[in-house]
Amino acid sequence: MKCVPFLALTIFANPAFAQAPPCDGTYELFSGKITTDVMPGNTLPDAERIARAFNNREGLAGQVIRKPQSEGLHEVKVSQCGRQFVLSQNDKNMLFLQSATDETLYVAQDIGTQKAELTFRVYGHASMIGRMAGEVQGFSFDYPAAMEPRALAMPDMEGCQGENLSDSDSDMTKSAAAQGLAMALADQGKTAAQGYTLSDYVMTSAKDSGRESSWLHLGETGRILPVKPGEDSLERVCALGETGLLNPPRVRLNFKQREVDGEIYVFAQVIDIETGIIREQRETVAASTSATDRAEAMSAAMAQLDTPVGAPSGGYSQ
């Protein structure tokens, strides 16, 4: 297997959505364009010029780095109740362990250098994106990559039920921020997909400072994705059945809320999940801290957005 550099992109994704682990099976690995920067203190001749050549594909230096391309088919085998998987090609293997703080993130254990980190983030059991970033000879580098499924199977999870479940956020759905966002969706005329309620699409968090956030994930076509797909989603996705693959989250529609003198200031942000870039932001003020007033403010902010927000879905690509 080629040791293609790739490391997880900076993504504002809720770990509960991805529902790791990935499926077993065959994936095609794609590597992308390098980004190279000169590290402080680099004394190599023409270091900045070489970095520009790498990034812009100029001359011989630019030819060294290939254009985005397929790195061939690789096999993924999941084990340890989803805590690890092995990526293999021919007779070469690479072990990835699940992050202790983020169940969607898997970190390669040995890539032949201590000055780089290789990780993949799992989306909807069946797709992974990542990159490798590090430094060599005074240059920092960053290679994005992706793994797309070709033939999938349900991993052996016998005896694992309940091991990775957590109820630490179970009461968050009762918060005023979460209730307000669910009510705002209703104000916008949104209707939950069969088997779901509007609250099943809402994620939320709170800080000691009194600042609260609630957010939605939007898929490729702008449809609102549920926090957790159906209970049998792993079997259905890995079997590539009639429902198709899960719709990966592309946009985070975030509502920051902060109380000031009895009023709630609401900031609606549209965040690109892959890059972390805030595409647009709108601001409104709620008359009180109640869920009803929060809902009115969030609905008003949502209506001002240029980004289209589609109907709630069951989480599957249509």
Side-chain angles (χ1 to χ4, degrees):
M1 181 180 66
K2 300 177 184 178
C3 186
V4 186
F6 35 68
L7 173 78
L9 302 172
T10 302
I11 298 177
F12 295 89
N14 189 309
F17 180 87
Q19 290 295 286
C23 300
D24 284 346
T26 303
Y27 292 74
E28 187 168 4
L29 175 61
F30 294 90
S31 63
K33 178 183 177 181
I34 186 175
T35 298
T36 306
D37 296 309
V38 180
M39 298 293 290
N42 188 319
T43 58
L44 292 176
D46 298 323
E48 293 186 6
R49 182 189 62 78
I50 294 173
R52 287 197 303 271
F54 269 55
N55 291 326
N56 299 326
R57 306 193 190 285
E58 299 172 356
L60 179 60
Q63 295 174 20
V64 172
I65 303 303
R66 298 178 298 251
K67 296 180 179 179
Q69 64 176 11
S70 171
E71 300 294 340
L73 298 179
H74 293 67
E75 298 300 318
V76 169
K77 181 64 177 178
V78 180
S79 59
Q80 295 295 315
C81 296
R83 297 188 184 94
Q84 67 180 43
F85 71 82
V86 173
L87 180 66
S88 62
Q89 186 183 58
N90 300 324
D91 59 345
K92 297 183 179 180
N93 302 306
M94 186 175 290
L95 174 66
F96 288 77
L97 298 184
Q98 189 179 50
S99 167
T101 58
D102 185 343
E103 69 170 11
T104 71
L105 195 65
Y106 288 80
V107 183
Q109 298 308 292
D110 184 6
I111 59 176
T113 176
Q114 296 181 345
K115 292 189 176 182
E117 186 178 25
L118 168 61
T119 68
F120 270 113
R121 189 180 293 276
V122 179
Y123 284 97
H125 306 297
S127 297
M128 294 186 242
I129 61 174
R131 70 178 187 249
M132 176 171 154
E135 60 178 273
V136 60
Q137 296 184 350
F139 292 93
S140 61
F141 58 87
D142 185 344
Y143 293 83
M147 285 210 295
E148 295 182 358
R150 293 294 175 260
L152 299 177
M154 176 71 179
D156 181 9
M157 302 293 284
E158 184 178 356
C160 299
Q161 186 173 3
E163 286 199 24
N164 292 325
L165 299 180
S166 172
D167 59 0
S168 60
D169 295 328
S170 59
D171 293 334
M172 291 304 297
T173 56
K174 301 178 182 179
S175 73
Q179 291 177 355
L181 184 49
M183 294 168 64
L185 292 177
D187 290 344
Q188 293 286 313
K190 308 297 185 185
T191 304
Q194 184 176 2
Y196 292 93
T197 65
L198 288 178
S199 62
D200 292 329
Y201 298 87
V202 177
M203 290 162 275
T204 187
S205 65
K207 297 183 179 180
D208 294 338
S209 62
R211 186 174 301 174
E212 293 183 86
S213 291
S214 53
W215 62 92
L216 309 168
H217 276 158
L218 308 183
E220 292 177 305
T221 61
R223 299 194 67 183
I224 305 172
L225 306 176
V227 176
K228 296 181 180 180
E231 292 182 359
D232 61 340
S233 62
L234 182 57
E235 290 90 340
R236 291 198 290 176
V237 170
C238 292
L240 292 176
E242 294 180 359
T243 55
L245 296 177
L246 287 178
N247 194 357
R250 300 300 188 189
V251 173
R252 175 170 170 169
L253 180 52
N254 188 53
F255 294 88
K256 293 196 304 182
Q257 302 168 52
R258 185 173 184 180
E259 182 178 355
V260 179
D261 296 331
E263 293 184 325
I264 298 293
Y265 285 78
V266 178
F267 300 88
Q269 300 175 318
V270 177
I271 302 172
D272 184 280
I273 288 178
E274 184 172 343
T275 64
I277 294 175
I278 299 176
R279 296 180 181 176
E280 58 175 318
Q281 178 171 295
R282 301 290 185 267
E283 178 182 349
T284 56
V285 179
S288 74
T289 61
S290 71
T292 300
D293 286 337
R294 290 175 192 255
E296 183 177 347
M298 284 188 278
S299 182
M302 197 184 311
Q304 298 175 33
L305 294 171
D306 295 328
T307 300
V309 180
S313 76
Y316 291 92
S317 297
Q318 301 300 315

